[in-house]
Every structure is written in C-alpha cells, then in structure tokens.
Amino acid sequence: MGRPRGFDSTDVLNAARDAFWARGYEATSTRDLVKATGLTQPSLYNAFGDKRTLFLRVLDHYLNQTLRERIAQHESAATPGAALTDFFADVVQRSLDDKAQRGCLMVNSVLEAAPGDSELRDAITEELTRIRDFFLRSIDAGQRTGEMRSDIDAEQAADHLLAVLLGLRVIARVHPARDWLVGAVSPALTHLGLRPLHLD
C-alpha cells in the first residue's frame, strides 16, 4: 500500500488557485506555487503534474465551485427570465464585493491564453460553450413561454449575452463601479424583453 500523501488535495488546489488568481498564469512561478501550497516542488509536481497541468486542474476545480454550480442553481429558478436575470445579478454583485478586483479566473485566463497553447484554449472554449448553452436554453425556453421576445434570433442573443458576460468581468477588474456594471447588463436584458437589472 502506498504511503499517504500527507496533504489535502482540495486545500492544495485552493492555495494554487489563489496564487494563479492573484498573479495570472504566466507570472506565477514555481516558487510562488511552492510557497502558496507549502509543498516542495517535487511533491507538488508529482501529485499534480507540471505547471500547466496543475493550472488546468485548478481551473476545473474553480469552475466546479463557481460558474458550473451557479448555472445549475440559477437554471432551477422559477422562470427562464429569472435564471438569466439572477445569473447576471449574481455576477455583478460578486464583482462589487471583490475588493481585490481579481475578476474571474477563467476570463483572466482567456486574456492570457497564447495562440499556440491549444490545451488551455480548448479548455476555456469548452467552458465558454457551456455558458453559452445555458444562455441559449434559457432564451429558447423564455421564447416558448412568451416571457422573452420571439422576434429575435436565440443563437445570436446567446452569443451577445456571452460577450456581455466577458466584457463585464473585464470591466470589473479595472473599474468595478455599480453603474458601469449594471449599465452593461441592462440593455442586453431589455433587448430580450426582460426588466433591467436591479440589485437589492
């Protein structure tokens, strides 16, 4: 029987996540990761692979705890319109509450992804597709129930919401002002026939 690792994988992934989130993928060194996790470099890489492999593990872990969980939560809302409105209200509120202005780890990764880094690019594209599909399902359902306008193209509207989300997260990193964030989202919602964004 193998010797116990002596560390909790979730704790290590959380520590590595915070290091990558604070500095970005490229700027985070092996020394930074060793310091953040408390593991030696051989232990860290033996357990999680090289820096890129570790980052992909961290990104998957982060998304399981954030976007994927929130999509499932909001999709169970009373109506498709509420699912979209509550999703964006949640994103805006979390951006306002993020005093360190870290933004979204996935969106930050989008901005850092090198053209030749197909593995990272494919992982991010898969996640963006997951989000777009949530938008599309909600719009399709809202059009069927009459909650959203039926005279707009659902595919194009889903693309638009994805672009709004990405832009929102970039704005939140540099100027997380309430009126800017709400102002970015509200026209996209009213275009669908929904009410403008309102935060409690």
Side-chain angles (χ1 to χ4, degrees):
M1 189 162 112
R3 183 178 176 184
R5 287 181 174 179
F7 59 84
D8 184 277
S9 295
T10 299
D11 289 343
V12 173
L13 289 173
N14 286 338
R17 174 204 63 200
D18 290 344
F20 283 125
W21 209 351
R23 300 173 181 84
Y25 172 73
E26 292 294 343
T28 302
S29 65
T30 300
R31 181 177 296 178
D32 293 329
L33 293 169
V34 166
K35 182 178 179 180
T37 61
L39 299 178
T40 64
Q41 180 179 335
S43 295
L44 184 64
Y45 283 1
N46 284 340
F48 296 96
D50 60 14
K51 177 182 168 181
R52 177 182 290 168
T53 304
L54 173 59
F55 180 73
L56 290 172
R57 288 274 304 273
V58 164
L59 185 60
D60 186 65
H61 174 67
Y62 165 82
L63 291 168
N64 272 330
Q65 294 181 318
T66 54
L67 275 171
R68 295 170 190 164
E69 183 178 292
R70 288 175 207 154
I71 285 174
Q73 174 189 341
H74 292 305
E75 203 157 18
S76 64
T79 68
L84 291 179
T85 301
D86 291 350
F87 174 84
F88 278 102
D90 184 36
V91 171
V92 169
Q93 191 59 59
R94 288 175 182 273
S95 297
L96 293 173
D97 293 341
D98 180 15
K99 302 308 179 186
Q101 296 179 215
R102 296 175 300 174
C104 169
L105 180 61
M106 182 193 68
V107 176
N108 298 350
S109 303
V110 169
L111 300 176
E112 274 204 285
D117 193 343
S118 59
E119 189 175 11
L120 178 56
R121 190 177 65 243
D122 289 348
I124 294 171
T125 299
E126 181 179 351
E127 205 59 39
L128 294 179
T129 301
R130 189 193 305 266
I131 299 168
R132 181 190 179 277
D133 288 347
F134 158 58
F135 292 154
L136 182 58
R137 288 193 303 271
S138 299
I139 295 167
D140 279 337
Q143 289 180 325
R144 288 195 302 271
T145 63
E147 187 184 14
M148 299 184 209
R149 289 173 51 189
S150 59
D151 61 335
I152 59 175
D153 184 283
E155 295 268 356
Q156 290 181 0
D159 292 340
H160 182 214
L161 288 182
L162 180 61
V164 169
L165 175 63
L166 295 177
L168 188 70
R169 297 305 263 158
V170 173
I171 292 170
R173 288 204 69 188
V174 295
H175 188 66
R178 185 188 184 97
D179 57 338
W180 279 38
L181 301 179
V182 171
V185 175
S186 288
L189 296 178
T190 57
H191 177 69
L192 293 169
L194 300 173
R195 292 182 179 181
L197 190 65
H198 175 74
L199 301 182
D200 295 332

